[in-house]
Amino acid sequence: MQYRRFGRSDWQISEIGYGMWGLAGWTGSDRKEIEDALDLAVESGCNFFDTAWGYAEGLSEQILGDLIRRNPDKKLYAATKIPPKNRQWPSKPNFLLKDVFPADYIIEYAEKSLKNLGVETIDLLQFHVWEDAWAHEDEWKEAIQKLTKDGKVERWGISVNRWEPNNALKTLETGLIDAVQVIYNIFDQAPEDQLFPLCNKLDIGVIARVPLDEGTLSGNLTKETTFPADDWRSTYFVPENLNASVDRAEALRPIVPAHMTMPELALRFILENPDVHTTIPGMRKLAHVRSNIATSDGIRLTKALTEELKKHRWDREPTEWSQ
């Protein structure tokens, strides 16, 4: 496992982190299998784990808390998120801060996450949605400064809305945010335009989420793929999105090197970018842990292949189903 300095925090975190959304709230999740996968990740050098209260109302946080307690001799970085008070993902431009993240609510959910994780200090607490129009409002600033002063949160971050990488730029300029989590993968390259240069300038940590485009870049989806009604993906992969996503994956398939899988290529593309400090694939099975972590070996793609992958950029706008 290779490690990168996480912005001005100076944490040395694993290039391959662990996205914990799929561990609670998705169909096909088995608790014993999940715990085995998490343990293998730790044994393999993974030390950055990203969860949220919104992942099954704290269950994913509790799973991470159990992992931390099973490894008292290792520093495992816990990143979690405050859910929007109005429970609307993503936020919309007309939403008011007082309805999404009022000060008392920020403090309330920091306490909930502390309890679920079983820790005295949260390493990184992120806002699970955001609007840059809130950048200059005082309420969220006062709340996070109090929690930091009280030793309950060490660092603060923003999880940027899907396909809106520029919807936090003014907020980052406040100097109060230490990390950004954003969708970045072979298709979603837009963060390179404005967000990554600003993060580089301000020394802000970058977490690349959705590295496999919710499964598209696994290469396993077909236009006939369906998901159970209680699985989030059933509302995301509507025909319009599923068909276009499969077409994009198929267009990519011819340039996947013979010795490489599409998921491996997708992760290596992200690791090519020095502005990214970690990427957080979801890993529910031991095989996924082994294959994903194996990509953090210091071996880089050829310049020619990287340039070819750049041509597969797919700029998208938020829609009713994109959530």
Side-chain angles (χ1 to χ4, degrees), residues 186 189 248 304 306-314:
I186 291 172
Q189 300 178 35
R248 291 276 179 167
T306 302
E307 290 305 310
E308 189 65 28
L309 291 172
K310 292 279 191 181
K311 299 175 185 177
H312 288 262
R313 175 169 170 160
W314 181 13

Side-chain angles (χ1 to χ4, degrees), residues 5-7 11 13-19 48-51 77-81 123-126 155-160 178-185 191 195-196 199 204-211 270 275-281:
R5 174 179 166 275
F6 191 58
W11 300 342
I13 64 171
S14 51
E15 286 186 336
I16 302 296
Y18 206 118
F48 187 86
F49 296 81
D50 179 82
T51 184
Y77 293 97
T80 191
K81 309 179 196 77
D123 296 309
L124 177 64
L125 186 55
Q126 304 157 94
R155 300 282 172 175
W156 290 90
I158 289 174
S159 182
V160 185
D178 305 287
V180 168
Q181 180 174 147
V182 65
I183 293 179
Y184 178 66
N185 54 52
L195 180 62
F196 287 176
C199 288
I204 288 172
V206 173
I207 305 163
R209 79 176 190 268
V210 195
I270 295 168
D275 288 331
V276 173
H277 302 110
T278 189
T279 185
I280 49 171

Side-chain angles (χ1 to χ4, degrees), residues 61-226:
E61 289 182 327
Q62 293 166 22
I63 292 171
L64 177 53
D66 289 343
L67 179 69
I68 292 171
R69 282 185 290 278
R70 290 200 300 275
N71 292 275
D73 58 331
K74 296 178 180 176
K75 175 54 185 175
L76 304 182
Y77 293 97
T80 191
K81 309 179 196 77
I82 307 167
K85 185 175 182 179
N86 62 3
R87 297 298 190 264
Q88 296 294 309
W89 281 273
S91 61
K92 293 185 171 60
N94 61 309
F95 287 179
L96 302 177
L97 180 67
K98 67 181 180 65
D99 297 324
V100 185
F101 292 122
D104 59 345
Y105 176 83
I106 293 171
I107 293 170
E108 175 190 354
Y109 272 79
E111 296 286 359
K112 287 179 184 287
S113 292
L114 282 165
K115 183 177 179 181
N116 285 332
L117 291 167
V119 297
E120 294 184 358
T121 304
I122 298 169
D123 296 309
L124 177 64
L125 186 55
Q126 304 157 94
F127 292 98
H128 209 159
V129 300
W130 196 253
E131 292 296 330
D132 218 15
W134 303 333
H136 302 299
E137 297 199 34
D138 291 333
E139 192 164 358
W140 68 270
K141 298 176 185 178
E142 292 168 358
I144 72 172
Q145 288 171 322
K146 173 176 170 45
L147 286 162
T148 302
K149 182 180 178 181
D150 291 347
K152 295 182 176 181
V153 179
E154 183 170 350
R155 300 282 172 175
W156 290 90
I158 289 174
S159 182
V160 185
N161 305 336
R162 186 184 299 272
W163 303 332
E164 297 180 20
N166 300 326
N167 195 3
L169 302 181
K170 293 177 183 176
T171 308
L172 301 187
E173 294 277 10
T174 65
L176 297 174
I177 300 299
D178 305 287
V180 168
Q181 180 174 147
V182 65
I183 293 179
Y184 178 66
N185 54 52
I186 291 172
F187 297 150
D188 294 298
Q189 300 178 35
E192 295 179 4
D193 299 344
Q194 296 183 57
L195 180 62
F196 287 176
L198 182 60
C199 288
N200 185 289
K201 173 187 173 185
L202 300 176
D203 203 11
I204 288 172
V206 173
I207 305 163
R209 79 176 190 268
V210 195
L212 303 184
D213 193 44
E214 307 295 8
T216 304
L217 288 166
S218 71
N220 295 327
L221 298 185
T222 71
K223 293 183 179 180
E224 288 71 47
T225 296
T226 58

Side-chain angles (χ1 to χ4, degrees), residues 1-5 12-19 37-49 74-77 267-268 271 276-281 283 288-300:
M1 177 70 77
Q2 306 292 305
Y3 298 86
R4 300 188 183 190
R5 174 179 166 275
Q12 291 295 316
I13 64 171
S14 51
E15 286 186 336
I16 302 296
Y18 206 118
L38 286 164
D39 288 340
L40 178 60
V42 173
E43 291 168 14
S44 304
C46 178
N47 69 358
F48 187 86
F49 296 81
K74 296 178 180 176
K75 175 54 185 175
L76 304 182
Y77 293 97
L267 291 173
R268 289 187 182 279
L271 297 181
V276 173
H277 302 110
T278 189
T279 185
I280 49 171
M283 300 182 281
H288 296 158
V289 173
R290 293 188 186 100
S291 59
N292 290 344
I293 286 181
T295 62
S296 179
D297 55 11
I299 299 173
R300 298 301 179 223

